[in-house]
Amino acid sequence: MAFIINRNKFCILEREEKMINTKKILLSALVASSLFFIMNGVNAQEITTTTGDSTEQETTAVSQNAVTSIEDVEMFIPDSITLDIKDTDLFSNNDEIWEGILHEKAQEKIDLIFRSNVEFKTETVTSAIPGMVGNTYEQENFFINGVKMYYDIWVDDMNTLTVSVYERKSPDYYFCSSEEECEEEDIEKTLQTRKIVQVKYSNSNQYNTEDESYVKNAIKNVNFGKVSGIWDTDDEAAYESGLQQYQDYIASAINDASLKVYAQYTSGGGDGDYSVLGTSVAIEKNGVIYAVIDGYNAFFNAVTIPNDVVDTDEAYINYALPKLQEIWNQYTITNVIKIEDDVISAASFGLNIVNDGIFYKILLAGDYCYEEEECFARVILKKESVTKIIDHVSVSDEENVTLSGMVLDQEDSTYKEMLEKSISQGYANVFGAYELKLVSGNIQDGLTVTFSLGTENDGRQVLVLHKKNDGNYESFLKTVQNGKIDVDVTELSPFMVVFNGAIDNTVNNVLSNSSLNNAQTSSIDVVLYSILTISSLIGLVYIVIKNRKKAA
């Protein structure tokens, strides 16, 4: 059976059938930000395995007169069911999420079992629910000793259902569109019994523990969260492309040709300066789904920095500022600050997104800002194929890898050790010393580290010392071209960049010298309440999903 990583539950608005084509319902950010979206820590590490009884109990029909108690109902609800589809069929259609398909197929199976054992009667009822008063609709119930009953099904995960039987206390049918309404609905129900039912598929006999262990090991270090710049939400092809890019991103991170990756958007919403689309990712090996993982694709406004721009905060900000002002044209940008916090908070979704050095904070002034609150937005500034770790140091993009870096102090013991070695090779003028670290993920095929030294140093010889994790050193002799040098490495640890002659390094701490950056980076632990209306500028996709969970 597939194991489930952090199977979250969502309370989603039910819609009429004709309204629910997920590719075409692209709501504006202001409308969609009100969607109720529950996430319980998307990066949870706990992995659980769901297994069912090896012997399926398919209950046969019994005399309806013989069902006279809840105990009788419990007897005819099976311990497990087998659906006439493969588990891979749940993920083959991106127009409908897998839980909706599973619910529909399981409903057919469970309904047939109920109708073979109890008699259902249909009645016409008139609603008394506010907003629906006077509406009539058909309602089905079954009876046990004259007591009106009904059942419903909840999809727990790909391998498990919960079948619940209630006494019908009210004729009204409640639509569960909020947490409060869900609780109100429970008041009108009297739970009589509840049973867990294992789900099997037509290909379940192909399952084996070796493949399951293989998949679990292959994905154990993969981060199923992705951070992206926005796309044009008026373009349906861009929506499809965005999902495909996310799926390719996960497949590249796993980097295993024997595994097939499926991805579906499940739900989403936005709050202020960002949007999040929840995802379900399924991993197939040898024709069987062995894992279903909750992930996310988070979107922020982004400016792509050209490759010829120097890898410093000052250069990035100076290039991006006019473009950022166009995006946030209802506001005046008063400052741009590099965010140094380890995580970027998306509090409305329970997410802490790892900050890999691409996030900046813009301070805003305008009519929508309030004096008592800081008015700001988080944005992404990065190059197309490289990520700047710290000033003057960037690394080639590696899928699903998060890096960090710091400048080594001259009093640091590693700095002194590396300087002694560089002097012994005739290089004494230190441009910089840096500690680069792998925060998460795996370096699969090596990295290219680029040091931006300034075009004024073109043609000069540079020694790069790299102290490896085992304590040994590797050295690179490079000539500066177009203000840069590149070194290829297979791991990250301390680096020192040293010239063999006088150095004319006029690039210092850009934040302290820039006219824009005169404020300190502050901790970003709160959601952007003051500029919710900016959401309409972000233009991100929000989705209402069909067939989430159906009440009886």
Side-chain angles (χ1 to χ4, degrees), residues 177-354:
S177 59
S178 71
E179 189 172 22
E180 292 75 16
E181 258 188 41
C182 290
E183 292 174 354
E184 182 180 357
E185 183 182 21
D186 287 339
I187 297 173
E188 298 301 322
K189 296 177 179 178
T190 300
L191 178 66
Q192 299 298 301
T193 189
R194 178 166 285 155
K195 190 168 184 177
I196 303 299
V197 178
Q198 301 299 317
V199 180
K200 299 179 183 180
Y201 301 87
S202 61
N203 62 331
S204 291
N205 60 347
Q206 300 175 34
Y207 161 86
N208 66 81
T209 56
E210 292 79 10
D211 282 352
E212 181 184 36
S213 297
Y214 183 95
V215 171
K216 183 180 292 187
N217 185 66
I219 68 174
K220 64 182 180 181
N221 293 321
V222 174
N223 176 11
F224 288 87
K226 185 177 188 296
V227 177
S228 306
I230 64 171
W231 66 62
D232 180 5
T233 57
D234 292 331
D235 183 359
E236 186 175 337
Y239 167 76
E240 298 287 355
S241 175
L243 181 59
Q244 185 63 52
Q245 288 173 21
Y246 175 84
Q247 182 171 304
D248 293 344
Y249 168 81
I250 299 300
S252 176
I254 296 173
N255 194 31
D256 190 324
S258 72
L259 303 181
K260 183 174 181 179
V261 177
Y262 300 86
Q264 297 175 337
Y265 282 141
T266 54
S267 187
D271 197 354
D273 58 350
Y274 67 90
S275 171
V276 173
L277 292 177
T279 60
S280 275
V281 182
I283 311 298
E284 174 195 331
K285 183 173 177 61
N286 295 327
V288 177
I289 299 295
Y290 283 98
V292 180
I293 308 99
D294 279 337
Y296 66 85
N297 207 352
F299 299 88
F300 293 79
N301 277 113
V303 174
T304 300
I305 307 298
N307 286 330
D308 59 354
V309 173
V310 176
D311 289 319
T312 65
D313 289 329
E314 182 180 42
Y316 278 34
I317 290 169
N318 287 341
Y319 174 83
L321 186 58
K323 300 180 183 299
L324 291 172
Q325 189 61 74
E326 288 179 8
I327 296 171
W328 299 86
N329 54 27
Q330 296 184 17
Y331 299 82
T332 299
I333 297 177
T334 62
N335 206 348
V336 183
I337 304 169
K338 175 70 175 292
I339 298 177
E340 304 292 351
D341 297 334
D342 293 334
V343 297
I344 303 299
S345 173
S348 295
F349 300 90
L351 296 180
N352 284 316
I353 300 168
V354 175

Side-chain angles (χ1 to χ4, degrees), residues 105-129:
K105 293 294 183 180
Q107 179 81 45
E108 294 173 358
K109 194 88 170 181
I110 297 297
D111 194 62
L112 180 61
I113 293 170
F114 267 85
R115 292 180 186 278
S116 297
N117 289 279
V118 294
E119 181 182 359
F120 282 80
K121 294 184 179 180
T122 302
E123 61 179 328
T124 301
V125 297
T126 302
S127 175
I129 300 175

Side-chain angles (χ1 to χ4, degrees), residues 30 272-273 301 321-335 362-370 373-377 528-538:
L30 276 176
D273 58 350
N301 277 113
L321 186 58
K323 300 180 183 299
L324 291 172
Q325 189 61 74
E326 288 179 8
I327 296 171
W328 299 86
N329 54 27
Q330 296 184 17
Y331 299 82
T332 299
I333 297 177
T334 62
N335 206 348
I362 59 175
L363 301 183
L364 304 167
D367 293 339
Y368 295 106
C369 296
Y370 302 98
E373 295 179 350
E374 185 180 40
C375 196
F376 67 90
L528 180 59
Y529 296 112
S530 57
I531 54 171
L532 284 176
T533 52
I534 301 178
S535 299
S536 60
L537 301 176
I538 300 177

Side-chain angles (χ1 to χ4, degrees), residues 497-540:
V497 181
V498 194
F499 285 90
N500 65 349
I503 179 174
D504 179 20
N505 178 22
T506 59
V507 181
N508 297 309
N509 188 327
V510 297
L511 289 182
S512 61
N513 295 328
S514 172
S515 59
L516 255 180
N517 297 281
N518 50 28
Q520 297 297 313
T521 302
S522 60
S523 174
I524 301 178
D525 295 322
V526 296
V527 181
L528 180 59
Y529 296 112
S530 57
I531 54 171
L532 284 176
T533 52
I534 301 178
S535 299
S536 60
L537 301 176
I538 300 177
L540 300 171

Side-chain angles (χ1 to χ4, degrees), residues 48-146:
T48 58
T49 302
T50 308
T51 58
D53 193 311
S54 59
T55 303
E56 180 172 343
Q57 177 193 337
E58 288 283 11
T59 305
T60 57
V62 299
S63 170
Q64 294 180 353
N65 294 329
V67 179
T68 59
S69 68
I70 288 297
E71 289 75 16
D72 293 334
V73 175
E74 292 172 348
M75 289 294 293
F76 73 66
I77 298 176
D79 294 326
S80 63
I81 59 173
T82 298
L83 304 181
D84 59 354
I85 59 171
K86 297 178 180 179
D87 56 10
T88 53
D89 294 335
L90 299 177
F91 301 92
S92 60
N93 181 3
N94 285 331
D95 285 341
E96 188 175 2
I97 64 172
W98 67 268
E99 287 161 303
I101 299 172
L102 174 53
H103 187 281
E104 180 180 352
K105 293 294 183 180
Q107 179 81 45
E108 294 173 358
K109 194 88 170 181
I110 297 297
D111 194 62
L112 180 61
I113 293 170
F114 267 85
R115 292 180 186 278
S116 297
N117 289 279
V118 294
E119 181 182 359
F120 282 80
K121 294 184 179 180
T122 302
E123 61 179 328
T124 301
V125 297
T126 302
S127 175
I129 300 175
M132 300 175 61
V133 175
N135 290 354
T136 60
Y137 52 92
E138 301 298 309
Q139 185 180 84
E140 278 197 315
N141 306 287
F142 63 92
F143 294 82
I144 298 178
N145 294 332

